Amino acid sequence: QKISKTRWRPVSSSSLQQPDIFATGSWDNEDNKISIWSIGENGVSSMDDEFEGDPQLVCEYKHNGDVLDLQFLDQDRIVTASSTGAVIIFRHHHNSQTLSVSKLWERAHHYPCDNAPCTGIVCNSPEIVTVGEDGRIILFRADQEGVLRTIENADSSTIHAVTFLRTTEILTVNSIGQLKLWDFRQQGNEPSQILSLTGDRVPLHCVDRHPNQQHIVATGGQDGMLCIWDVRQGNMPFSLMEAHSAEMWEVHFHPSNPDHLFSCSEDGSLLHWETSSNSDTPSFLQGGRNTSIISRSAIAPAGGNQSLISSWLTGDSSKGRLETTHMLPSQTLSVNSLDVLGQCLVCGTDGEAIYVNRRVPI
């Protein structure tokens, strides 16, 4: 099965004594599944290998439609986005090592006469936010049956991904190169801010927020460019970097060491981006650049911090550095999804392969 999504289970004190667990979803198959995997010692074939052995399948459950996104809600529950428009909560029963459907919202995303794929999910338990090809944003609570709120016509184009900026604010990216901020405290159906790429309206496919500096956001799109944004200043990206030669499907800051960032692409590559800094300024907003990576000058946002802008535009290597490493041993078919937790990285591909690296240099 082609792997569409991969996610590590969040770490808690209770899971530290158990084998590492991750979940995957599949696509392009009449028999799509959501699966739980273990990378305990039984899954390691050689300690000398960077990518170690086959993960062990713990349990799986049939999934109606392609799994277009996948998020852990908590230690026991997983939320999936289906190409049928459904949003599903699965429960992982640790004692019996089985999966069951805990909650189902059928046709949450839809057109007047047909289903619309649910394209993205973000969770902040018990809240779940989904976006879709229908341009809707839907807010659910895992402990409630109905829909908490729907923003109809949030977008006239497909919304590809969503992330939380703060507890009451989310960010979405769409197929015309826009990054939109939404504040659930406001009752209207209008975004509180719109940021966009200049020039061609290149679709944005993925977004992630810096875990410590909530105003710093990374996006990736159809042209393979990695964009870093400061949502406090201006409405254009702070930097544009040549990352991949085809669509970038996912981008993630490392959750506990955000000077490390990871991206994967249709071109079969998975990149590890590492910055270092000798100042207090967040290093992704430094002037760090590698001329083989960054091909365009950053656009200075109006009214921004001048010292920050100067450092970024001049590429002062004494204050910042950006290095990239190819993480896969060789280029493969499209790398559709990645996730990273601690020193563990997992990714899934169209080659029906899952790669696990337990020694990511963080």
Side-chain angles (χ1 to χ4, degrees), residues 17 35 78 96 135 149 165-166 168 188 202 218 226 228 237 242 249 263-264 321 325 336 347:
Q17 305 304 317
S35 305
I78 305 161
S96 60
R149 182 175 175 190
L165 184 65
R166 296 176 185 85
T168 60
V202 177
L226 171 64
I228 305 296
E242 281 188 356
W249 292 130
S263 61
C264 63
R321 186 177 76 250
T325 305
N336 300 321
C347 67

Side-chain angles (χ1 to χ4, degrees), residues 293-345:
I293 299 298
I294 300 179
S295 66
R296 308 182 191 178
S297 295
I299 301 160
N305 180 303
Q306 291 304 309
S307 63
L308 199 63
I309 294 167
S310 299
S311 173
W312 181 253
L313 291 177
T314 56
D316 187 348
S317 59
S318 67
K319 292 185 178 179
R321 186 177 76 250
L322 180 60
E323 298 176 350
T324 59
T325 305
H326 282 270
M327 295 294 290
L328 291 180
S330 61
Q331 288 201 343
T332 177
L333 295 177
S334 175
V335 183
N336 300 321
S337 179
L338 71 94
D339 198 18
V340 61
L341 185 66
Q343 284 192 285
C344 292
L345 181 143

Side-chain angles (χ1 to χ4, degrees), residues 243-293:
H244 301 276
S245 61
E247 295 93 334
M248 187 190 301
W249 292 130
E250 215 160 344
V251 61
H252 282 298
F253 286 102
H254 190 279
S256 57
N257 194 343
D259 272 354
H260 298 260
L261 180 142
F262 301 83
S263 61
C264 63
S265 170
E266 180 74 23
D267 66 11
S269 64
L270 191 159
L271 293 180
H272 174 191
W273 304 73
E274 180 181 359
T275 73
S276 63
S277 169
N278 298 320
S279 78
D280 293 332
T281 304
S283 52
F284 271 104
L285 297 183
Q286 290 276 351
R289 64 174 60 199
N290 177 329
T291 53
S292 67
I293 299 298

Side-chain angles (χ1 to χ4, degrees), residues 79-310:
V79 188
T80 64
S82 174
S83 58
T84 66
V87 177
I88 311 163
I89 301 179
F90 292 89
R91 183 175 292 277
H92 178 208
H93 305 277
H94 299 279
N95 292 336
S96 60
Q97 292 298 357
T98 58
L99 280 165
S100 66
V101 174
S102 172
K103 193 157 289 189
L104 167 64
W105 291 279
E106 287 191 281
R107 296 191 79 238
H109 291 271
H110 60 274
Y111 298 117
C113 300
D114 199 2
N115 297 335
C118 179
T119 52
I121 292 174
V122 66
C123 299
N124 184 20
S125 185
E127 294 188 336
I128 302 164
V129 178
T130 67
V131 295
E133 200 175 277
D134 55 356
R136 281 187 181 87
I137 299 172
I138 306 178
L139 174 64
F140 306 89
R141 278 183 65 99
D143 53 4
Q144 294 184 14
E145 292 299 324
V147 170
L148 204 61
R149 182 175 175 190
T150 300
I151 301 180
E152 298 280 357
N153 303 313
D155 219 306
S156 59
S157 60
T158 298
I159 306 175
H160 285 139
V162 58
T163 190
F164 272 102
L165 184 65
R166 296 176 185 85
T167 306
T168 60
E169 293 178 284
I170 60 167
L171 292 155
T172 59
V173 293
N174 66 16
S175 59
I176 56 173
Q178 292 177 324
L179 176 61
K180 295 184 179 182
L181 281 67
W182 304 85
D183 189 339
F184 283 130
R185 293 169 297 186
Q186 314 217 350
Q187 292 306 306
N189 285 354
E190 297 298 323
S192 56
Q193 188 178 349
I194 300 177
L195 301 90
S196 62
L197 298 168
T198 56
D200 296 335
R201 293 189 166 187
V202 177
L204 293 173
H205 292 303
C206 52
V207 60
D208 195 31
R209 185 209 73 194
H210 191 288
N212 303 331
Q213 304 285 333
Q214 295 174 327
H215 55 279
I216 301 174
V217 176
T219 64
Q222 187 167 296
D223 57 0
M225 299 290 287
L226 171 64
C227 301
I228 305 296
W229 311 70
D230 182 346
V231 300
R232 303 171 306 177
Q233 308 194 33
N235 61 358
M236 294 179 289
F238 226 99
S239 65
L240 295 164
M241 290 161 274
E242 281 188 356
H244 301 276
S245 61
E247 295 93 334
M248 187 190 301
W249 292 130
E250 215 160 344
V251 61
H252 282 298
F253 286 102
H254 190 279
S256 57
N257 194 343
D259 272 354
H260 298 260
L261 180 142
F262 301 83
S263 61
C264 63
S265 170
E266 180 74 23
D267 66 11
S269 64
L270 191 159
L271 293 180
H272 174 191
W273 304 73
E274 180 181 359
T275 73
S276 63
S277 169
N278 298 320
S279 78
D280 293 332
T281 304
S283 52
F284 271 104
L285 297 183
Q286 290 276 351
R289 64 174 60 199
N290 177 329
T291 53
S292 67
I293 299 298
I294 300 179
S295 66
R296 308 182 191 178
S297 295
I299 301 160
N305 180 303
Q306 291 304 309
S307 63
L308 199 63
I309 294 167
S310 299

Side-chain angles (χ1 to χ4, degrees), residues 8 19-24 35-46 52-60 92 97 346 354 356 358:
W8 286 113
D20 293 310
I21 297 291
F22 66 91
T24 65
S35 305
I36 302 289
W37 306 80
S38 165
I39 58 163
E41 291 305 310
N42 292 336
V44 178
S45 61
S46 169
E52 301 169 350
D54 293 332
Q56 301 298 299
L57 179 63
V58 174
C59 55
E60 59 186 8
H92 178 208
Q97 292 298 357
V346 63
I354 300 166
V356 177
R358 297 186 69 176

